Amino acid sequence: MIPTLILALGNPLRGDDGVGAAVLQALKERALGPHVELIDAGTPGLETALLLEGRARVIIVDAADFAAKPGSILKRDLTALELELRPVHSDSLHAAGLLDALALAAALGTFPARVTLYGVQPRSLDYETALSAEVRAAIPQLVEAIITALAEAQEIPPKS
Amino acid sequence: MSNLQVNLHHVTRVEGHGNIVIDVKGGRLDTCRFDVVETPRFFEAMLRGRPYQDASHITSRICGICAVGHATTSLRATENALGIVPSEQTVLLRKLNFFGEILDSHVLHVMMLVAPDLLGVGSVIPLARTAPTVVGRALRMKKLAGDLCRAICGRHTHPLSLTVGGFAHFPTLDELSDLRTRLEAMRGDIDDTVELLSSLTFPEFERDTEYIALHKPDEYAFIDGDLRSSDGGTWPATEYRQVTNERVVAHSSAKHASHSRDSYMVGALARFNLNHEQLCPAAIEAAQALGLKPKCTNPYFNTVAQLVEIVHAAHESIGLIDSLLARGIQIEEPVRPQQLSGEGVGASEVPRGTLFHRYIIENGCIVAADCVIPTGQNLANIEADMRALVPEILELPREDIVLKLEMLVRAYDPCISCSTHLVDVKFLE
């Protein structure tokens, strides 16, 4: 099992929800080394819990509405404890979301030691394949932030 | 309790929104309704004017869980309308694909939606804490089911490669061999699940009803077949409207259906009751271990019948893969239509019961469509069960009454948004 996973979530057919896939594409062009795996998981629901199993570190990239300016980036380190304490508000596992999947992993005891979520505020989640200009403009910054975070953890050799 | 009012708004762990409304006055059951409050979806109208090739892709969007079931049924309706007879390889691949979906859907229902009730927890998340092996097993089995579908139709939800007359993509022999190895390895997980469920207690409740399912002479029917009723009678699938007799009711945005009685049941229990002799030996053995005997009239046992079908689907999938490996996979062009106008019916046993699609096609475009979904056919039967059950459990504490009603609705594994064309228990107070 490759210890570090960068997991893109979201549906590229829904406008800015494709930001995860676009960031992953940009990261593919950078040498991240053999210990970093990139997965574009789309909208996997509870199966996300399986993708986390056995990883030391997971970085999740997804669109997230946190009422900021479109293109803003939110970084949150997530712990198993806060997810376990979070009330389950989803009524139906037929449409389970990311937090349900993370809570399930926490309950199963397979939650990785380090999980970081990078959320990008979308402008539009309408039916279109293009990202908005604001979200597109945020991608280089987000890619650098992820690479820096990996380097800080000495998971890729820092630039000399 | 001589007076009881239940108004359970929004039943959880089912797909979609439905409410249970019960009103007992002076010991007499005055109101007993299962309100379906989902917005109608208008898929039949969306199909009008569209080229026949689009129908399976549009209708697979009716459901994210039985998308393969809708697509397959849609293709069969179109093929029957246009005089297309698919190749033997297409039939084998579609069956294998279908078993993948049966596995995925049944594992979700049995192990993640119903198991929490039987093990006394509120949902799958606390279940993962108290019984992580059960949830881990469920996730592994679902993953394999999803991978099986992915190899054949591109992806499980809204399949890409299923097309009129055949396939637009084919699995490799290596993919099939790998899936076979994983299906063999899954037997342990299945045996453990059968052992677990046979140790758990389901609510006791018997109510005989009419059971309806597709039947084929040579196999436990999932795709195609004639309609058969436990009250007697067999009809070609083209005559489905003689059986479904859909009618509009005031409290539900989904229509109700009835045949020889006030209501009938479709789904795993109906299939088991009608076709149990055609199950594979391992599934028959599992049914015995689980105490499921035909004719079973306890609707809560629909979940048990689903587990029996999990055993059947896993074993039959291995057999199908063996046939495909022995034949080799041919890259075939889809079979072309004989004509571009006609009328056709497709019928399948999707996870929740019998599904019908009927299309009228003129010059390659759909001019009329009708889709009859399993949950819609079960709604009147769920209400009839509630009417029989409530007087039996009136003396129980209120929370036990609510739980038993919710479990009853869940036992049917309803897919409410599909049928609106589920569950809230409302105590009227």
Side-chain angles (χ1 to χ4, degrees), chain B residues 275-316:
Chain B
N275 299 328
H276 58 91
E277 287 167 352
Q278 295 168 311
L279 286 165
C280 73
I284 290 174
E285 211 174 288
Q288 281 162 354
L290 289 157
L292 179 65
K293 295 187 195 84
K295 161 184 165 190
C296 172
T297 60
N298 180 346
Y300 291 100
F301 270 64
N302 190 50
T303 302
V304 178
Q306 287 183 327
L307 179 53
V308 169
E309 290 190 341
I310 289 174
V311 178
H312 182 76
H315 278 79
E316 293 290 296

Side-chain angles (χ1 to χ4, degrees), chain A residues 8-62:
Chain A
L9 298 174
N11 181 352
L13 301 177
R14 295 299 296 270
D16 288 336
D17 200 26
V19 66
V23 168
L24 213 68
Q25 199 54 47
L27 284 168
K28 274 185 186 158
E29 289 159 21
R30 309 289 286 260
L32 300 179
H35 46 281
V36 180
E37 186 173 4
L38 306 177
I39 296 181
D40 178 2
T43 52
L46 287 182
E47 269 186 32
T48 308
L50 285 178
L51 293 169
L52 303 183
E53 200 172 350
R55 311 282 183 175
R57 169 136 206 234
V58 177
I59 291 173
I60 300 169
V61 188
D62 196 359

Side-chain angles (χ1 to χ4, degrees), chain B residues 14 22 30 49 77 92 103 125 141 222 267 292 299 372 421 425:
Chain B
V14 298
I22 305 284
D30 192 53
L92 291 172
L103 285 170
I125 309 271
M141 291 166 77
F222 282 107
L292 179 65
V372 183
H421 135 131
V425 179

Side-chain angles (χ1 to χ4, degrees), chain A residues 46-47 49-50 84 88 91-94 100 103-104 107-108, chain B residues 10 12-15 65 112-113 124-125 128-129 132 139 143:
Chain A
L46 287 182
E47 269 186 32
L50 285 178
E84 287 216 66
V88 177
D91 289 328
S92 166
L93 295 174
H94 290 274
D100 297 302
L104 184 61
L108 283 169
Chain B
H10 200 155
T12 57
R13 271 184 278 142
V14 298
E15 196 294 319
I65 301 165
M112 298 171 98
L113 302 177
V124 73
I125 309 271
R129 259 175 242 134
L139 285 170
K143 173 94 173 41

